[in-house]
Amino acid sequence: MMTAMKGEVSGPSKWWLLQVVTNATLGSFQFGYNLAVLNTCLKMIVLLMKWCGQDELTAECDAARNRDGAITAGVFVGAAVGCLLGGRWMHRGRRRTLMIAHLLFIVGSLLSAASLDFWSLLLSRIIVGVGVGVATVAVPMYISEVTPADKRGAYGVMNQLLITVGIMVAIALGNVQRNDPQDWPSPDTIPTREALWWRFMLGFSAVPSIISLTIFLFVFPFETPHFLVEEGKADQALPILEKMYCTSGEADAEAQTAQAKLDDIQRNVEERRASEKKTVGLFDAFRDPWYRYALLVGWVLSAFQQLSGINAFIAASNHIFEQAGFTGGRATLLSTCMGVMNVILTLVTVKAIDWAGRRKLLVIGTIGQFVATAPTAVLLLIGSGAVSAGVMIWLPVASVFGYVVFFAIAYGPVLWVYLNEIYPVEIKGPAVGSASALNWVACIAVVFLTKVLNNTLIFSIFSCCSLFACVFVFLFVLETSGVSIDESPYLKGRPSDSTAASKAKIDSLSGKQAIAEIPRAAEVDGIPARPAGDMGVAHTDAASSLEGDLTEISMDSSVGVPSGDR
């Protein structure tokens, strides 16, 4: 049973962190569920709404392709908008933002279940999409601010784990209904259970949100310590920090640790207020060469997570499997197996992300994605005569499954942890929100194109994007494992008075004054650092190592969690 906390801390509880994070990740479940739910039930919607004609038992017509593409993309359009809104709403509280996301899920899901035509369904899915976008920003930040440094990676992976669980549940529910139109004489003869099941699938999304809202209201009715300190409520933050660090029963030592963490947070807040630099807008941040490098890394990583194909394989796997030669029912079964595998493999990353490091996992994962998809792309390009018909049927399935294996252990979970570690607190909310929005914009393009492209182009594009992502990670991405969440490795080498220097530069840029001097390179532990305004290799030695030398720089390893936004 979950432990309530409304002020006083009753004592150590090793389950408290797990309970708090699990409730937060119900928003991640919604992310995955609504991403995949239309994959298996959209064909039934096409039949029942008769988009191909009154008596047509087919979902393959121009009207159907355009409308189901628009409805699928509608979720992603809403998500892109939700990411931008979520980045702004985080200033009002992490818990409050998550509660807004769940309200959107409830409203959008119930409207989806009651939809009568294309336009009502499209509008309701856009509302759900806005909730998905807000959750994309809010869940990882909330988790990063209520977990200690040594557990941040593992608990951060729970975000991706619940996304995969949501995907699996959505696809599994699709097995209840049959997906072969020839089973019935006409759309009007479809059995009642089959005709209503898609409404249940879309409406089911309201259930986890009702549960999470109830828990936020009555079980965990508190904000994160970092937001509370920012709001001048340090007395309310200390009990939460004690809960975060009191997990072994050594009350005195852990109480001192909690107080030390509170002092760190307060010091960071005071330094920012002293320089009158609480937040920096994206436009001003991009004009600063130090911020710009971190922004560009996050944006490129976020966009290519989608451009390499994951949500096309998740949201349109049935379409890909049917193109390969499988019928609707067998395609749904294959999609279900893929969803189960995705969940199991994500569990591996819970330990690996802190043990292997973020950068190394990203390199391994993107190489694996390329290796999984390239053979199918090549064989489809040269023609089916090179191999047997049986191989050509199963090869796309093997590529999708292989791709999901490497994505699940690397790019999927690592990105959302990484984005919350590379941005300084003064730009964290807008930066993560913009990166998440780009992620969804890329997803819109990929999923919509997957609906109209053949498998040859699909696998060719995705394999090339995976290869590009691998090269980018190797050249430009720095390690963050073990680094304090209040410190960004991309700002290493800045002048020691970083807040004042940054404020002066931003004021200068905002006033359209010429930049008199860009900070010169500084030697940090023997690694030459320079502002990477042109996306050159900012740290040559660091970029040459898969491990990332910056993980060994002496820093506060016990995390001061940011008091700014995601």
Side-chain angles (χ1 to χ4, degrees):
M1 184 171 178
M2 294 188 176
T3 306
M5 185 181 71
K6 297 187 178 180
E8 295 299 323
V9 178
S10 59
S13 173
K14 65 179 182 179
W15 297 110
W16 185 82
L17 278 176
L18 180 61
Q19 294 164 357
V20 172
V21 173
T22 299
N23 183 53
T25 54
L26 286 178
S28 306
F29 175 91
Q30 293 282 43
F31 179 152
Y33 185 88
N34 286 289
L35 183 71
V37 68
L38 291 173
N39 186 18
T40 55
C41 71
L42 194 52
K43 181 179 289 187
M44 187 63 67
I45 294 173
V46 172
L47 295 177
L48 291 167
M49 292 191 177
K50 303 177 180 178
W51 291 345
C52 288
Q54 289 296 319
D55 299 317
E56 294 295 327
L57 277 169
T58 179
E60 297 298 326
C61 65
D62 289 340
R65 280 189 288 270
N66 291 335
R67 290 184 178 185
D68 67 27
I71 289 173
T72 302
V75 177
F76 305 135
V77 171
V81 174
C83 287
L84 297 176
L85 292 175
R88 298 177 65 87
W89 291 344
M90 296 303 287
H91 293 290
R92 303 178 182 179
R94 290 37 160 168
R95 167 179 166 269
R96 183 177 297 175
T97 303
L98 277 171
M99 292 174 70
I100 292 173
H102 284 299
L103 287 172
L104 289 167
F105 285 132
I106 292 170
V107 172
S109 298
L110 295 179
L111 288 176
S112 296
S115 297
L116 298 176
D117 55 25
F118 166 73
W119 292 108
S120 59
L121 183 58
L122 177 61
L123 176 61
S124 62
R125 299 315 293 167
I126 291 174
I127 294 172
V128 168
V130 175
V132 169
V134 174
T136 302
V137 177
V139 173
M141 184 183 291
Y142 182 91
I143 293 173
S144 73
E145 294 189 356
V146 296
T147 53
D150 60 340
K151 299 179 177 67
R152 194 175 71 226
Y155 280 117
V157 172
M158 284 186 65
N159 172 53
Q160 180 68 19
L161 177 62
L162 266 291
I163 291 174
T164 63
V165 170
I167 292 169
M168 180 186 68
V169 171
I171 296 175
L173 287 176
N175 285 280
V176 174
Q177 66 181 15
R178 289 177 291 176
N179 289 278
D180 297 318
Q182 63 269 22
D183 290 345
W184 304 287
S186 69
D188 293 329
T189 62
I190 296 176
T192 302
R193 187 196 69 173
E194 306 282 348
L196 294 178
W197 188 251
W198 70 270
R199 297 187 184 276
F200 170 80
M201 291 177 65
L202 296 182
F204 174 78
S205 179
V207 175
S209 285
I210 292 172
I211 293 172
S212 187
L213 269 178
T214 303
I215 292 172
F216 272 128
L217 285 171
F218 301 108
V219 183
F220 298 133
F222 55 85
E223 273 294 345
T224 66
H226 320 89
F227 178 78
L228 290 172
V229 171
E230 189 76 42
E231 295 296 304
K233 301 176 181 177
D235 57 327
Q236 297 180 30
L238 184 59
I240 304 170
L241 287 165
E242 289 175 346
K243 273 289 191 181
M244 287 170 56
Y245 289 93
C246 291
T247 57
S248 66
E250 299 177 2
D252 292 340
E254 289 166 338
Q256 292 177 3
T257 301
Q259 184 61 54
K261 295 304 167 188
L262 179 61
D263 294 341
D264 286 343
I265 297 170
Q266 288 178 307
R267 184 178 63 253
N268 291 329
V269 171
E270 289 168 0
E271 288 176 354
R272 286 192 299 277
R273 286 176 176 168
S275 63
E276 299 181 354
K277 183 173 65 66
K278 186 175 181 181
T279 58
V280 176
L282 274 179
F283 182 74
D284 285 333
F286 189 77
R287 298 169 73 184
D288 181 293
W290 295 91
Y291 288 146
R292 180 165 61 241
Y293 188 80
L295 286 170
L296 289 173
V297 167
W299 290 347
V300 173
L301 282 178
S302 192
F304 273 84
Q305 189 204 50
Q306 294 302 323
L307 293 176
S308 63
I310 182 58
N311 276 335
F313 292 142
I314 295 299
S317 59
N318 274 28
H319 174 75
I320 293 172
F321 295 149
E322 287 169 1
Q323 278 200 62
F326 295 92
T327 61
R330 294 178 68 193
T332 300
L333 183 59
L334 286 170
S335 296
T336 303
C337 294
M338 180 189 66
V340 173
M341 183 184 69
N342 198 10
V343 172
I344 295 171
L345 289 169
T346 303
L347 290 170
V348 175
T349 318
V350 172
K351 293 293 183 183
I353 192 170
D354 285 321
W355 169 69
R358 284 55 155 162
R359 183 174 181 271
K360 188 174 184 178
L361 276 179
L362 284 172
V363 171
I364 293 172
T366 49
I367 289 176
Q369 291 171 201
F370 171 73
V371 171
T373 52
T376 300
V378 171
L379 287 175
L380 288 173
L381 282 170
I382 64 178
S384 58
V387 294
S388 66
V391 171
M392 292 306 296
I393 290 175
W394 282 100
L395 192 58
V397 176
S399 285
V400 171
F401 274 62
Y403 176 98
V404 170
V405 167
F406 285 101
F407 185 89
I409 64 173
Y411 216 158
V414 171
L415 175 69
W416 304 111
V417 175
Y418 195 76
L419 287 179
N420 280 278
E421 294 176 331
I422 65 172
Y423 295 125
V425 69
E426 61 269 19
I427 66 169
K428 186 179 289 285
V432 176
S434 62
S436 301
L438 276 176
N439 186 273
W440 285 109
V441 169
C443 183
I444 294 166
V446 166
V447 173
F448 190 81
L449 287 175
T450 302
K451 293 284 187 178
V452 298
L453 296 179
N454 58 34
N455 279 358
T456 302
L457 290 174
I458 289 171
F459 284 98
S460 298
I461 293 170
F462 294 161
S463 61
C464 289
C465 287
S466 292
L467 180 60
F468 175 87
C470 177
V471 173
F472 181 84
V473 170
F474 186 79
L475 292 178
F476 302 115
V477 169
L478 304 179
E479 183 58 72
T480 59
S481 181
V483 176
S484 169
I485 202 169
D486 281 325
E487 300 290 340
S488 170
Y490 293 94
L491 302 184
K492 203 65 181 175
R494 281 184 89 164
S496 58
D497 186 13
S498 59
T499 55
S502 179
K503 175 64 177 175
K505 179 169 284 296
I506 291 167
D507 288 344
S508 174
L509 291 169
S510 298
K512 299 183 179 180
Q513 299 176 10
I515 301 176
E517 181 181 358
I518 294 177
R520 302 172 79 73
E523 287 280 326
V524 182
D525 288 353
I527 302 175
R530 66 175 177 81
D534 298 314
M535 282 300 292
V537 180
H539 303 278
T540 307
D541 294 337
S544 67
S545 168
L546 291 179
E547 294 290 339
D549 294 335
L550 288 179
T551 57
E552 297 177 7
I553 292 176
S554 177
M555 300 180 74
D556 179 9
S557 61
S558 57
V559 90
V561 192
S563 49
D565 292 310
R566 176 179 168 183

